[in-house]
Amino acid sequence: MTIFDDEFPAVANLDPDLLAALRQAATDAADDGGEFHVKSGWRTPAYQDQLLREAISEYGSKEEAARWVATADTSPHVSGDAIDIGPSDATTWLSEHGAEYGLCQIYRNEPWHYELRPEAIDDGCPPRYADPTHDPRMRQ
């Protein structure tokens, strides 16, 4: 699916400002031959919990899983404030141009994960956290 596919809750339930910025960026990226695919957008709390359980199983501990998957209470995907974009040419384009739209990569270990930071339009994106365990929002 793309960020223009409103029939999918993963797109339709994103924060309206995030969605508007993504759509403008995607329109401009298309001029360069790129297309943004939504790997994951808005998520239900139940789905986020399922992803966390799967990550704990895969990585062997809650602590290691936390480097990749947040709890339903802390995940910006559940609130509609984050999106995972693909393919790699789209994330490459966003890493070079995303700040112009307020779209920032938040974690060094997740080049596909973007959130809206409107101040980035003037000031550039903030430094990235190594992974979600370094993000104060995840320590609730």
Side-chain angles (χ1 to χ4, degrees):
M1 89 187 93
T2 74
I3 60 160
F4 298 100
D5 292 328
D6 288 328
E7 68 271 21
F8 295 102
V11 173
N13 291 335
L14 288 172
D15 172 80
D17 293 332
L18 172 61
L19 187 56
L22 284 162
R23 286 181 170 166
Q24 183 60 58
T27 299
D28 294 347
D31 293 340
D32 294 335
E35 185 175 44
F36 292 7
H37 291 269
V38 177
K39 294 178 147 236
S40 188
W42 172 82
R43 301 174 185 159
T44 66
Y47 182 53
Q48 188 68 32
D49 287 340
Q50 175 188 335
L51 291 174
L52 182 56
R53 285 191 305 274
E54 291 170 0
I56 292 168
S57 177
E58 179 179 347
Y59 295 109
S61 72
K62 196 172 188 179
E63 293 74 25
E64 188 61 23
R67 295 185 61 233
W68 302 98
V69 181
T71 66
D73 292 335
T74 61
S75 174
H77 285 281
V78 172
S79 62
D81 294 317
I83 191 163
D84 295 345
I85 294 290
S88 61
D89 63 333
T91 58
T92 298
W93 192 93
L94 268 178
S95 71
E96 294 171 9
H97 303 283
E100 298 167 31
Y101 306 88
L103 299 169
C104 296
Q105 181 186 344
I106 303 302
Y107 307 116
R108 286 195 304 266
N109 72 326
E110 296 185 9
W112 53 83
H113 180 98
Y114 280 81
E115 297 179 24
L116 183 64
R117 298 289 187 270
E119 65 278 4
I121 295 169
D122 294 324
D123 301 330
C125 290
R128 292 173 285 163
Y129 298 108
D131 62 51
T133 63
H134 296 268
D135 185 341
R137 300 173 302 165
M138 300 301 128
R139 297 184 191 139
Q140 298 176 3

